[in-house]
Amino acid sequence: MIERLLQDPSIVVSGHRGYKSAYPENTLLAFEKALELGVHMLEFDLRLSQDKVLMIIHDETVDRTTDGSGPVSSFTSEELRGLDAGSWFGGEFAGLRIPEFSELCELIAPWPELLLNVEIKPAPDAEAAADAAVAMLKNYGYLDRCVFTSFDANIIAHLHDQYGVKTQGFPGEAMFNFVPGEHGTYSKMWAAGISMKQLTPSLADELRHLGLLAWCYCPDDDRQVYYALSCGVTMMTCNHPVPALEIGRLLDSRLQLSGLGRTGGTE
């Protein structure tokens, strides 16, 4: 199913850690609100707890996004779920929890067309996290919806070589353990994510000439969305998905009038 992005002429909008600009990131509420907006993809971050349960959290430590302190890997899944993952963002979100990956898999069951951007965070146990994620996604029947992302080129290579899944890496200078050359990291990537600070037409073209899809993150206002489009980039991972969604709907209506249109989505 993820292969449809090769032909889709429309803007494809991914909710970055859910609806990150308005709700506490990587919580079930943030994902629910992104789905309500009509995003076509969800992006989220996976790490293993001390007892090897896949948890959805971005940082190496719990300090920034919870009321706890210390490395994620030093907590059991039960301990992680006991932390408050909402109050840091606003008092009205007190009591939100760090979700287990299985909870998100259950949440998205009613959205059969939803795509998933599964980011494996760099860590000593990142390969084990990648293996566990593939196994769970296979069990739920979601694997063909997924692109797997990592800033660690070793994880990109592992996912590509071991499972043959679609992967998103980044321009080489943004990655750990990047291997240059014909059979290096780029050869194991399907797409490359470009930050808005780096995005230029020439960089997008360079990556496309390498056979990669050129994607971007995070265009969060109209100006940035139109700039990404001017670079030929239509796959956008957004903290604030509304501008990209609204512009996408406008362009979709024009595409439909010309006989083209979206091939799938959650709307």
Side-chain angles (χ1 to χ4, degrees), residues 140-250:
Y140 276 93
Y142 297 163
L143 197 57
D144 67 344
R145 305 188 195 188
C146 297
V147 60
F148 289 83
T149 295
S150 186
F151 280 91
D152 186 343
N154 289 341
I155 298 303
I156 293 292
H158 175 72
L159 285 160
H160 175 275
D161 296 347
Q162 190 70 27
Y163 301 106
V165 294
K166 299 292 189 290
T167 62
Q168 178 194 222
F170 301 89
E173 63 272 16
M175 299 188 72
F176 303 105
N177 303 311
F178 182 81
V179 179
E182 182 181 356
H183 302 293
T185 301
Y186 283 144
S187 71
K188 300 177 188 297
M189 289 164 45
W190 188 58
I194 311 169
S195 78
M196 291 306 296
K197 293 178 181 178
Q198 281 187 292
L199 180 61
T200 61
S202 60
L203 178 56
D205 283 343
E206 178 185 334
L207 292 166
R208 281 191 287 266
H209 288 154
L210 291 170
L212 302 174
L213 297 177
W215 295 353
C216 73
Y217 66 98
C218 302
D220 293 325
D221 58 35
D222 288 3
R223 181 187 61 80
Q224 290 175 322
V225 171
Y226 281 118
Y227 177 71
L229 290 172
S230 75
C231 295
V233 174
T234 57
M235 166 59 206
M236 306 181 188
T237 300
C238 304
N239 297 315
H240 182 36
V242 172
L245 285 168
E246 290 181 345
I247 292 169
R249 288 169 187 140
L250 175 64

Side-chain angles (χ1 to χ4, degrees), residues 31-87:
F31 297 128
E32 288 169 355
K33 294 300 183 179
L35 291 169
E36 290 173 9
L37 286 180
V39 298
H40 315 105
M41 177 186 283
L42 287 178
E43 187 273 351
F44 51 89
D45 308 287
L46 294 181
R47 293 183 179 276
L48 284 172
S49 64
Q50 186 184 71
D51 52 341
K52 307 306 177 188
V53 175
L54 282 170
M55 307 297 293
I56 304 179
I57 184 169
H58 178 273
D59 294 4
E60 184 178 2
T61 73
V62 301
D63 297 54
R64 179 177 64 88
T65 57
T66 79
D67 60 347
S69 181
V72 174
S73 60
S74 70
F75 292 83
T76 67
S77 55
E78 183 178 359
E79 289 168 339
L80 288 169
R81 289 183 52 75
L83 300 175
D84 181 339
S87 291

